[in-house]
Amino acid sequence: MKTLAQLAELVAGSVITGDKNIEITGIEHDSRKAENGTLFVCIAGFHVDGHKFIPQAVEKGAKAILTTRPAGEVAVPEGVAVLQVPELKTALDIIVPFFHDYPARNMRIIGITGTNGKTTTSYLIRAILREAGYKVGLIGTIQIMMEEEVFPIHNTTPDVVELQHTLAIMRAKGMDYVVMEVSSHALDQNRVAGIEFDTAVFSNLTQDHLDYHKTLDNYKLAKAKLFDLLGQKGVKKNKTAVVNADDEAGKTMLAHAACRHLTYGIDNKAALQASEVEVLASGAHFTLKEEFLGEMALHLHITGIFNVYNVMAAVGAAIAEKIDPAVIKKALTNFTSVPGRFELVKAGQDFSIIVDYAHTPDGVENVLRTARRIAKKKIIAVFGCGGDRDRTKRPIMGRLAAELADVVIATSDNPRSEDPAFILSEVEAGVKETIGNKQHECIIDRREAIFRAVELAETDDIVIILGKGHEDYQILKDKTIHFDDKEVAREAVAAKKEQN
């Protein structure tokens, strides 16, 4: 615990009104999570003003309020202190890690950034570290894990309040390592404030999130901030940047990393080199060479050239952490899949159904090219694009799907506040450019679209459902509903069997 005065000392220009010696037991910006001794953070957002929830937070036990407003403008009950700061986000970036005694300093932290592959790479690294006998926490797109315990997550990288609290819990539970996906939004907004990384991994850079970053160069520089952080002097030593040498943006990441560099690649010369790469329906086979690793032949259960890169990224991180090569090989040989990443759905059908999270042009292309390598007959692609996100990628994804699949069914993804029909019109513009005389349909209802794809599927075809992967919800204009592509696919197969 810290006193309010100790927190205030960290922030220039802060003012305390009330008892400065109040002991703070926690920091929360959600009034529902407040407890006895909480410092309640009042965030004045675009839609909701946190100051309106002061009564609820105090009722739950909050003893102090953090705000940018003078105490005279904040209505608080008697006995509740007010800590006024010049700028809220800056104050939180300083106060929150200090309050939790900088938990990241007590664990090895591996951060992974890039457009595609972060989740699979994080699970691969987790598997290697656990095989080596370490206790591992994971923070990613799908969920938070502390060994076998699983917790839900709402952002790939939580904000500084939630993230530092999570890291503190991981430290208390004895985690040796934390493997984190680090999004460009999180880096740009400094949600990782107070975290000293030991190893940082860069997967690749392709078009995504331009609705936020505006340009690809801005997006690239946001990713590079992870390597700026990695190179800063701190309390830790032996830091390593693990970077994809086959991606042009890798040069930028290395230029920002003032520490040891470990590159990986297939086409370009790299410290960790893959050769004799063979991608089959049953898995990927290739050989890795690196000074510490030696020469290692791998026969994996996961497939796709993109997964070869994900494996190399994970091996690079393991080498940086000096994990025994025999342990690395055993963990990778036993690794099977990640939820919603090229995941097979088996419901007794005589054709394949694959669900994948691919939601960028590069992701769609990678997955469909992998499917093309293993396809015996037709590929039926079901996909859409999210609303309130980068519109420029919609026709690009449409073109790629039409080029690489035999049947295209464009449908709704997470439309959010946008009209699904309008989103699909932009997707369709790309589809029509390259579809030629191949079959394509536009079905707004995602459930109906998946049922239609399964209806069209014949023996040895591949139905590939893209965009949502592990997600079990769909975000509509006025609500969020339960929706799981895998569940719906199984229902569609069952319905087809009944009809036959």
Side-chain angles (χ1 to χ4, degrees), residues 163-446:
L163 182 53
Q164 289 293 327
H165 184 227
T166 299
L167 290 171
I169 294 171
M170 288 183 171
R171 176 181 58 191
K173 288 181 176 288
M175 299 300 115
D176 301 299
Y177 277 89
V178 177
V179 182
M180 287 179 59
E181 294 184 50
V182 188
S183 70
S184 58
H185 290 69
L187 289 162
D188 189 62
Q189 296 166 14
N190 201 29
R191 294 183 211 159
V192 293
I195 297 177
E196 190 174 341
F197 291 91
D198 296 279
T199 295
V201 179
F202 170 70
S203 60
N204 50 60
L205 190 89
T206 60
Q207 182 175 330
D208 199 14
H209 302 305
L210 297 193
D211 54 307
Y212 178 88
H213 296 289
K214 306 305 179 187
T215 69
L216 195 61
D217 196 52
N218 288 344
Y219 180 41
K220 177 173 65 177
L221 291 175
K223 296 288 188 189
K225 287 181 181 179
L226 177 61
F227 297 89
D228 289 327
L229 293 172
L230 182 71
Q232 290 177 358
K233 288 186 178 180
V235 301
K236 298 180 175 182
K237 297 180 180 179
N238 303 320
K239 299 178 182 182
T240 307
V242 179
V243 173
N244 183 354
D246 288 347
D247 192 291
E248 186 64 26
K251 296 174 184 176
T252 299
M253 307 305 148
L254 292 173
H256 282 252
C259 61
R260 177 196 178 197
H261 295 173
L262 198 164
T263 56
Y264 63 91
I266 300 173
D267 302 323
N268 293 329
K269 186 177 180 181
L272 176 61
Q273 198 82 45
S275 61
E276 302 170 340
V277 179
E278 188 177 13
V279 175
L280 306 171
S282 57
H285 311 315
F286 54 98
T287 299
L288 290 178
K289 292 181 182 179
E290 193 271 340
E291 185 178 0
F292 172 80
L293 189 74
E295 183 171 316
M296 179 183 291
L298 290 172
H299 301 276
L300 307 178
H301 297 293
I302 55 177
T303 192
I305 194 70
F306 55 93
N307 273 326
V308 175
Y309 279 98
N310 293 336
V311 167
M312 284 194 290
V315 171
I319 291 169
E321 295 301 320
K322 297 181 172 57
I323 305 300
D324 183 84
V327 171
I328 295 173
K329 183 169 185 175
K330 184 177 179 182
L332 294 176
T333 301
N334 292 333
F335 191 87
T336 53
S337 67
V338 177
R341 271 54 177 184
F342 214 79
E343 185 176 1
L344 284 168
V345 178
K346 298 178 181 179
Q349 75 278 14
D350 59 0
F351 53 90
S352 297
I353 299 175
I354 297 169
V355 169
D356 194 274
Y357 187 56
H359 59 283
T360 66
D362 184 63
V364 168
E365 181 175 10
N366 283 336
V367 170
L368 288 178
R369 287 198 185 282
T370 296
R372 178 56 63 195
R373 286 193 178 200
I374 64 177
K376 295 180 180 178
K377 293 186 179 177
K378 298 192 305 294
I379 295 175
I380 304 169
V382 181
F383 80 105
C385 291
D388 301 335
R389 297 294 186 268
D390 179 10
R391 289 175 54 189
T392 63
K393 69 182 182 182
R394 294 171 185 173
I396 301 171
M397 289 168 63
R399 282 196 296 273
L400 288 167
E403 175 189 338
L404 297 171
D406 300 292
V407 179
V408 171
I409 301 177
T411 188
S412 186
D413 193 296
N414 289 319
R416 299 182 177 87
S417 70
E418 284 195 74
D419 178 1
F422 174 73
I423 296 172
L424 285 184
S425 71
E426 297 196 318
V427 173
E428 283 281 285
V431 171
K432 290 174 182 177
E433 287 182 28
T434 51
I435 194 70
N437 60 2
K438 292 188 287 188
Q439 182 177 352
H440 94 281
E441 300 180 26
C442 183
I443 303 173
I444 291 176
D445 185 284
R446 191 173 181 91

Side-chain angles (χ1 to χ4, degrees), residues 20-298:
K20 66 180 182 181
N21 294 316
I22 287 175
E23 287 196 334
I24 302 302
T25 59
I27 301 174
E28 293 289 353
H29 48 48
D30 185 339
S31 60
R32 295 167 296 184
K33 295 180 180 178
E35 297 177 346
N36 188 41
T38 293
L39 172 65
F40 177 60
V41 182
C42 295
I43 299 174
F46 290 109
H47 304 293
V48 180
D49 185 349
H51 294 82
K52 293 181 179 179
F53 297 93
I54 290 174
Q56 290 93 318
V58 171
E59 187 179 345
K60 289 270 192 176
K63 297 299 183 186
I65 305 301
L66 180 64
T67 178
T68 57
R69 298 177 185 176
E73 297 178 15
V74 182
V76 296
E78 188 176 345
V80 176
V82 175
L83 172 55
Q84 181 197 355
V85 293
E87 207 277 319
L88 197 61
K89 187 181 178 306
T90 302
L92 287 173
D93 289 350
I94 299 169
I95 286 173
V96 178
F98 169 78
F99 174 80
H100 290 290
D101 294 319
Y102 303 99
R105 293 178 180 176
N106 302 111
M107 301 174 286
R108 298 286 293 177
I109 310 292
I110 300 175
I112 306 157
T113 198
T115 305
N116 298 310
K118 295 188 296 296
T119 298
T120 299
T121 301
S122 69
Y123 275 73
L124 287 162
I125 294 172
R126 174 179 179 266
I128 293 169
L129 293 172
R130 294 191 77 203
E131 184 65 41
Y134 293 109
K135 296 181 73 174
V136 184
L138 182 142
I139 302 172
T141 305
I142 299 176
Q143 59 201 3
I144 292 172
M145 300 183 76
M146 301 181 199
E147 286 290 91
E148 295 299 333
E149 286 187 274
V150 177
F151 306 88
I153 193 166
H154 304 294
N155 291 314
T156 299
T157 313
D159 63 49
V160 67
V161 174
E162 292 183 16
L163 182 53
Q164 289 293 327
H165 184 227
T166 299
L167 290 171
I169 294 171
M170 288 183 171
R171 176 181 58 191
K173 288 181 176 288
M175 299 300 115
D176 301 299
Y177 277 89
V178 177
V179 182
M180 287 179 59
E181 294 184 50
V182 188
S183 70
S184 58
H185 290 69
L187 289 162
D188 189 62
Q189 296 166 14
N190 201 29
R191 294 183 211 159
V192 293
I195 297 177
E196 190 174 341
F197 291 91
D198 296 279
T199 295
V201 179
F202 170 70
S203 60
N204 50 60
L205 190 89
T206 60
Q207 182 175 330
D208 199 14
H209 302 305
L210 297 193
D211 54 307
Y212 178 88
H213 296 289
K214 306 305 179 187
T215 69
L216 195 61
D217 196 52
N218 288 344
Y219 180 41
K220 177 173 65 177
L221 291 175
K223 296 288 188 189
K225 287 181 181 179
L226 177 61
F227 297 89
D228 289 327
L229 293 172
L230 182 71
Q232 290 177 358
K233 288 186 178 180
V235 301
K236 298 180 175 182
K237 297 180 180 179
N238 303 320
K239 299 178 182 182
T240 307
V242 179
V243 173
N244 183 354
D246 288 347
D247 192 291
E248 186 64 26
K251 296 174 184 176
T252 299
M253 307 305 148
L254 292 173
H256 282 252
C259 61
R260 177 196 178 197
H261 295 173
L262 198 164
T263 56
Y264 63 91
I266 300 173
D267 302 323
N268 293 329
K269 186 177 180 181
L272 176 61
Q273 198 82 45
S275 61
E276 302 170 340
V277 179
E278 188 177 13
V279 175
L280 306 171
S282 57
H285 311 315
F286 54 98
T287 299
L288 290 178
K289 292 181 182 179
E290 193 271 340
E291 185 178 0
F292 172 80
L293 189 74
E295 183 171 316
M296 179 183 291
L298 290 172

